[in-house]
Amino acid sequence: MANWHDIGLWSYSGAAALTMLVAAWLVRRWARLRDTRPSLGDAALLLALLATSLWAFAAASMGGTHAIAGLAESLRNLSWLAFLFQMVRSARAQPRTVTAVYLVLVVVLAGQPLVAIWHAANQGVPRLDELGYSAAMLLRMIFVVGALVLANNLYSVADAETRASLRLPLTALAAMWLYDLNLYTVGYLGRALPGDLVALRGC
């Protein structure tokens, strides 16, 4: 029988180390390009990588379902949302409806820790416990669906040169958020997050 705790430890530890290495590589690359200042998009990417590393470290240390890991996940998602927003601004193709979606997702992210606190405070009351869990899963799913739509929107409005540079990070983001969508959908329908999916999430 698989020891999902140990698998999760290695999974999240590897994610934390690799994202930190990519962030360090970016900083070193910018240091070599002394004549070129990093753009706001570059800074947003670096911040998102560091936030992802922090989330993975929290999940490795405390477990993927710990409240601190959940808060770190919200910060991670906020950082990647800022990266997408900066990229779509630089593409100069930002209708008001797209901006509204970004604002709605920020509100959803802000609501996630509040719902988590409320859920933790009412775990002794069956109906409130179930309501809090369902609300937490729905907020996670709503964010992921919205983020996937925004990532697709960014890729569709970018010019050919920008699209080529965005292909790898957007593919990685789509993979990460599709996994999250599957995790939270299964968790919502099954009334509990499956241990195997949580443990393998860092991969």
Side-chain angles (χ1 to χ4, degrees):
M1 185 175 180
N3 187 333
W4 293 117
H5 178 271
D6 291 343
I7 292 173
L9 175 63
W10 286 104
S11 168
Y12 289 113
S13 296
L18 286 173
T19 47
M20 186 63 73
L21 283 173
V22 175
W25 175 80
L26 284 175
V27 172
R28 186 177 179 184
R29 179 171 173 266
W30 296 336
R32 287 201 301 265
L33 301 174
R34 296 179 181 178
D35 296 335
T36 305
R37 294 181 60 185
S39 66
L40 288 176
D42 293 331
L45 176 59
L46 178 62
L47 179 62
L49 286 167
L50 293 175
T52 303
S53 185
L54 176 65
W55 160 74
F57 177 77
S61 303
M62 306 174 189
T65 58
H66 195 277
I68 299 299
L71 177 60
E73 179 190 341
S74 296
L75 293 175
R76 178 204 75 181
N77 285 334
L78 180 62
S79 299
W80 283 114
L81 194 66
F83 169 72
L84 292 180
F85 184 73
Q86 185 56 43
M87 289 295 97
V88 81
R89 280 189 62 192
S90 63
R92 297 179 180 178
Q94 186 185 0
R96 290 184 179 179
T97 52
V98 174
T99 303
V101 174
Y102 278 98
L103 291 175
V104 168
L105 291 188
V106 169
V107 173
V108 169
L109 285 174
Q112 287 175 358
L114 298 178
V115 170
I117 293 171
W118 184 81
H119 178 220
N122 291 282
Q123 285 189 344
V125 185
R127 288 187 178 180
L128 293 180
D129 183 19
E130 183 177 352
L131 179 62
Y133 177 82
S134 297
M137 293 297 102
L138 284 172
L139 283 179
R140 300 283 178 183
M141 287 189 287
I142 288 170
F143 173 83
V144 170
V145 171
L148 286 169
V149 170
L150 291 176
N152 179 71
N153 171 75
L154 172 58
Y155 190 77
S156 65
V157 301
D159 56 44
E161 183 180 355
T162 304
R163 187 176 294 179
S165 65
L166 287 174
R167 188 170 291 120
L168 182 59
L170 288 183
T171 300
L173 280 178
M176 179 178 74
W177 282 329
L178 281 172
Y179 192 97
D180 287 357
L181 180 60
N182 179 60
L183 171 67
Y184 290 125
T185 301
V186 173
Y188 177 77
L189 296 175
R191 312 310 304 165
L193 291 173
D196 52 350
L197 290 181
V198 172
L200 294 171
R201 193 179 182 193
C203 297

